[in-house]
């Protein structure tokens, strides 16, 4: 186990800059998730830690040792690929023991460690099968087993659950987290799914366009997003954004939309801002603003309502209570006190 | 079934309703082609092998007499030996060099498409044309190879490429290898490109060097396509005719006679259609053996099959 230090790392493919100076400190035993929309550079960064991509500038250190020029096999890391990358011509046991076989470990030792990993993952009955004879979830577990068997300093996961169906993904999410709690190996995990990030990570790094937008504990990111991008990316359904101008303690939007704010707006007078409020932080009631119901989507546990504001902007609200409004009905909504976010309209930074 | 219905609709309408009838109808053209152009010539050849037919004179059935004669014919056995030698050596070289070339072309070279196109050249040139080119390269007096070696001071007299039995064998094998490599290389290249890059990345992280990646990932995953390519390559080489016919006509002293060329010489040039056919038929067991070997020995792998067991 080891800490991973990423210091001002840059990556360029020819003229195209993919990463613009990324710095992340990953503590020993930490579970860090890199999350962001596709093309943000998160997978590239992971592959740079693995040694599959060269580092254009900056430093990556594993366990205090700078690995920029260390070949992948000497970095003592194990990686789980999105498509699992299992060797199709080897049995489950051979797949898991392959790295030990290359290291010329004794046969008995290999067998023992494969057995142990198979026990942890519930793969013992399948050791003689070929990958083709396994289900998606089982293949996923074999890929993790291959990583566990090596007992590496760092686990790297590259969108490991995105090829699984929704139900299995939820189950595997818990399994990966449990595995980490058990083995306590430093883990770097890449995903585009913010729910995966929220549920599993010790620390989330939100990336966008080759830069780190914000990093911190999951709930920290949810409660205090540093900018409009993080605010919109973390949380589902996504946060509502209402542009307007501060006048006194009111946000004035287009078409006479007025929303009373309980935040301290003394030094924001006359500024163009974007108000952010999460769908689950809206309640019915007077004193807020009115909206016209467009669609009502009940999921059983909650009801999601898409409504239109006076200015024409759409807004989403989620209620635990079963409010079955009719389309076209006018409802009064207001944000819960203390749970609105204000962002600078020009820079998107939190105010 | 339909015919037992008393007031049956017209034949065409009934045919349209019948899956079996339509199926047979649609298969008919292919069946006719196969019968006329494959089964009939093959059957005729086998039949001729049991007759003493000569060109211009119908033969009569003589049983196994042609084969009894061939068993005691040393030229026939020399041709069998030559064919086996030719096939084994040429196929082995084609496989080794073709695989090597495919691995090279699979790397990220500059002008990749250009090189891949160039590799195909020997394959697209008509065999007779390239054989004539080789004929010049192997010429006893004007050979460019001899000339280069003499200019370099390595040899004093021109090499007698096609006049000496062993030189002639090596020469025709070299020409065949030159011609056959593109097929092997391009097909194996196609096979290489079906191997997902992530497997190599996984193997790299597992600690495999480049030889181990080839040994444990590339080669095992390539075996199915190798089996197919080499089966075809062996069949093509075993039945080769054009190259030998243009370069040596089987000479010197039958040293390069293959079964195909001997069959043509005896059957067409010599006029003994029956005996020529018998030689051709004698190739069939070898070809079947090659097919069965590749089918059972190489092609089927448990990991390729899905399902539970």
């Amino acid at each position: 186990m080891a800490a991973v230090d990423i210091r001002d790392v840059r990556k360029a493919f020819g003229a195209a800059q993919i990463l613009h100076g990324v710095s992340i400190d990953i503590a020993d035993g930490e579970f860090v998730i890199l999350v962001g929309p596709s093309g943000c550079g998160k997978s590239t960064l992971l592959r740079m830690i693995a040694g599959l991509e060269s580092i254009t500038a900056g430093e990556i250190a594993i366990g205090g040792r700078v690995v920029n020029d260390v070949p992948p096999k000497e970095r003592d890391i194990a990686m789980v690929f999105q498509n699992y990358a299992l060797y199709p011509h080897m049995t489950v046991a051979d797949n898991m023991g392959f790295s030990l076989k290359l290291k010329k470990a004794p046969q008995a030792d290999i067998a023992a460690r494969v057995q142990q990993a198979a026990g942890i993952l519930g793969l013992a009955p399948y050791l003689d099968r070929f990958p083709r004879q396994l289900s998606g979830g089982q293949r996923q577990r074999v890929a993790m087993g291959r990583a566990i068997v090596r007992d590496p300093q760092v686990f790297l996961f590259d969108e490991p659950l995105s090829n699984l169906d929704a139900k299995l993904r939820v189950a595997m999410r818990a399994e990966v987290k449990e595995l980490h709690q058990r083995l306590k190996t430093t883990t770097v995990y890449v995903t585009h799914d913010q729910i995966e990030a929220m549920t599993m990570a010790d620390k989330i790094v939100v990336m966008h366009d080759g830069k780190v937008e914000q990093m911190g504990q999951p709930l920290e990111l949810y409660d205090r997003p540093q900018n409009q991008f993080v605010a919109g990316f973390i949380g589902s359904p996504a946060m509502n954004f209402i542009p307007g101008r501060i006048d006194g303690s009111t946000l004035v939007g287009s078409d006479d939309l007025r929303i009373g704010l309980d935040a301290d707006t003394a030094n924001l007078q006359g500024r163009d801002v974007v108000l952010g409020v999460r769908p689950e932080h809206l309640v019915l009631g007077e004193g807020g603003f009115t909206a016209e119901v467009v669609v009502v989507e009940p999921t059983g546990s909650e009801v999601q309502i898409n409504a239109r504001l006076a200015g024409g902007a759409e807004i989403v609200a989620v209620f635990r209570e079963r409010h079955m409004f009719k389309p076209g009905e006018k409802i009064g909504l207001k944000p819960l006190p203390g749970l609105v976010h204000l962002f600078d309209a020009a820079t998107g930074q939190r105010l | 079934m339909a015919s037992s219905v008393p007031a049956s609709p017209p034949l065409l309408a009934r045919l349209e309703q019948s899956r079996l009838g339509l199926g047979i109808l649609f298969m008919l053209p292919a069946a006719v082609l196969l019968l006329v152009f494959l089964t009939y010539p093959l059957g005729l050849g086998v039949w001729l092998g049991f007759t003493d037919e000569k060109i211009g004179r119908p033969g009569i059935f003589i049983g196994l007499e042609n084969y009894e004669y061939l068993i005691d014919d040393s030229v026939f056995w020399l041709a069998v030996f030559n064919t086996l030698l030719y096939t084994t050596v040429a196929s082995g070289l084609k496989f080794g060099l073709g695989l090597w070339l495919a691995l090279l072309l699979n790397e990220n070279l500059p002008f990749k498409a250009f090189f891949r196109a160039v590799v195909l050249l020997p394959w697209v040139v008509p065999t007779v044309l390239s054989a004539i080119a080789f004929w010049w390269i192997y010429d006893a007096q004007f050979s460019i190879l001899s000339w280069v070696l003499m200019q370099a001071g390595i040899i004093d007299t021109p090499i007698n490429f096609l006049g000496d039995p062993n030189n002639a064998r090596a020469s025709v094998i070299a020409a065949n290898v030159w011609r056959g490599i593109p097929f092997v290389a391009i097909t194996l290249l196609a096979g290489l490109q079906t191997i997902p890059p992530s497997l190599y990345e996984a193997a790299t992280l597992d600690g495999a060097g480049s030889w181990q990646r080839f040994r444990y990932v590339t080669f095992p995953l390539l075996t199915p396509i190798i089996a197919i390519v080499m089966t075809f390559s062996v069949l093509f080489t075993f039945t080769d005719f054009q190259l030998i016919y243009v370069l040596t006509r089987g000479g010197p002293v039958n040293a390069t006679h293959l079964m195909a060329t001997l069959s043509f010489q005896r059957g067409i040039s010599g006029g003994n259609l029956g005996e020529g056919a018998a030689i051709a038929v004698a190739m069939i067991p070898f070809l079947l053996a090659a097919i069965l070997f590749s089918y059972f020995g190489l092609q089927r792998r448990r990991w390729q099959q899905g399902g539970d067991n």
Side-chain angles (χ1 to χ4, degrees), chain A residues 47 50 52 72-73 77 79 81 83 85-90 98-99 101-102 104 128-130 132-133 146 150, chain B residues 196 198-209 212 215-217 220-221 302-309:
Chain A
R47 292 167 60 83
L52 296 172
K73 66 173 182 175
I77 41 103
M79 184 156 164
F81 292 82
N83 61 2
L86 301 178
Y87 310 117
H89 56 293
M90 296 185 195
F98 185 58
S99 60
K101 182 178 165 187
L102 291 177
K104 306 223 170 1
D128 291 329
R129 293 210 189 169
F130 288 96
R132 217 170 232 217
Q133 299 163 321
R146 195 161 66 176
R150 294 179 49 188
Chain B
S198 61
L199 286 187
Y200 292 115
E201 289 175 350
T204 305
L205 295 181
D206 274 344
Q212 285 164 321
R215 162 79 181 74
Y216 293 111
V217 179
L221 291 178
R302 198 151 79 89
W303 57 265
Q304 290 181 287
Q305 292 158 7
D308 302 299
N309 48 35

Side-chain angles (χ1 to χ4, degrees), chain A residues 152-323:
Chain A
Q153 298 207 48
V154 182
F155 282 141
L156 305 176
F157 289 85
D158 188 6
E159 308 216 13
L161 306 185
S162 51
N163 284 7
L164 302 176
D165 63 58
K167 204 168 176 182
L168 200 53
R169 200 176 309 161
V170 174
M172 290 303 290
R173 216 156 68 190
E175 252 181 71
V176 173
K177 189 167 182 175
E178 195 193 335
L179 191 70
H180 177 256
Q181 285 163 357
R182 186 165 172 175
L183 301 174
K184 301 210 176 357
T185 306
T186 313
T187 302
V188 185
Y189 185 111
V190 162
T191 180
H192 61 265
D193 180 352
Q194 56 92 19
I195 296 197
E196 246 171 63
M198 291 295 286
T199 50
M200 293 162 73
D202 293 329
K203 180 157 88 187
I204 295 180
V205 179
V206 181
M207 291 180 69
H208 180 47
D209 280 346
K211 285 192 283 280
V212 173
E213 295 282 352
Q214 187 176 358
M215 65 184 130
Q217 289 168 11
L219 293 178
E220 205 176 295
L221 264 60
Y222 178 86
D223 291 338
R224 278 188 68 81
Q226 281 307 306
N227 53 47
Q228 211 182 323
F229 176 80
V230 176
F233 194 79
I234 300 288
S236 170
M239 188 184 278
N240 297 299
F241 293 115
I242 304 164
R245 179 168 291 179
I246 300 285
D247 181 13
S249 61
T250 314
L251 178 95
V252 182
S254 53
D255 281 321
D256 266 354
L257 174 70
R258 289 178 164 271
I259 301 171
L261 300 170
D262 58 351
D264 178 18
T265 53
N267 47 10
L268 296 173
Q269 291 305 315
R271 275 183 69 174
D272 285 325
V273 298
V274 175
L275 172 94
V277 58
R278 296 195 182 278
E280 55 271 35
H281 295 156
L282 285 169
V283 290
L284 292 173
E286 297 304 311
F289 49 89
T290 51
E292 185 186 320
V293 174
V294 180
V295 175
V296 179
E297 296 177 344
T299 61
S301 64
E302 55 192 27
V303 176
Q304 180 177 327
I305 289 167
N306 295 16
R308 195 169 288 132
L309 294 178
E314 292 250 354
I315 194 166
V316 178
V318 170
F319 301 106
R320 304 290 295 182
E321 305 82 25
R322 296 192 173 174
H323 298 299

Side-chain angles (χ1 to χ4, degrees), chain B residues 62 85 211:
Chain B
I62 55 168
L85 180 81
W211 163 249

Side-chain angles (χ1 to χ4, degrees), chain B residues 78 82 165 168-170 172 244 248-258 261:
Chain B
L78 182 63
N82 286 337
R169 282 176 182 146
V172 291
I244 303 289
T248 65
R249 302 229 167 188
V253 209
N254 302 323
T256 59
H257 243 320
L258 303 183
T261 53

Side-chain angles (χ1 to χ4, degrees), chain B residues 110-139:
Chain B
F111 309 112
K112 194 156 73 175
F114 172 74
F115 282 118
R116 286 181 187 173
V118 165
V119 166
L120 266 178
L121 266 183
W123 185 248
V124 296
V125 175
T127 312
V128 174
L129 250 171
S130 51
I132 288 172
F134 269 98
W135 192 41
W136 268 105
I137 290 172
Y138 293 148
D139 190 274

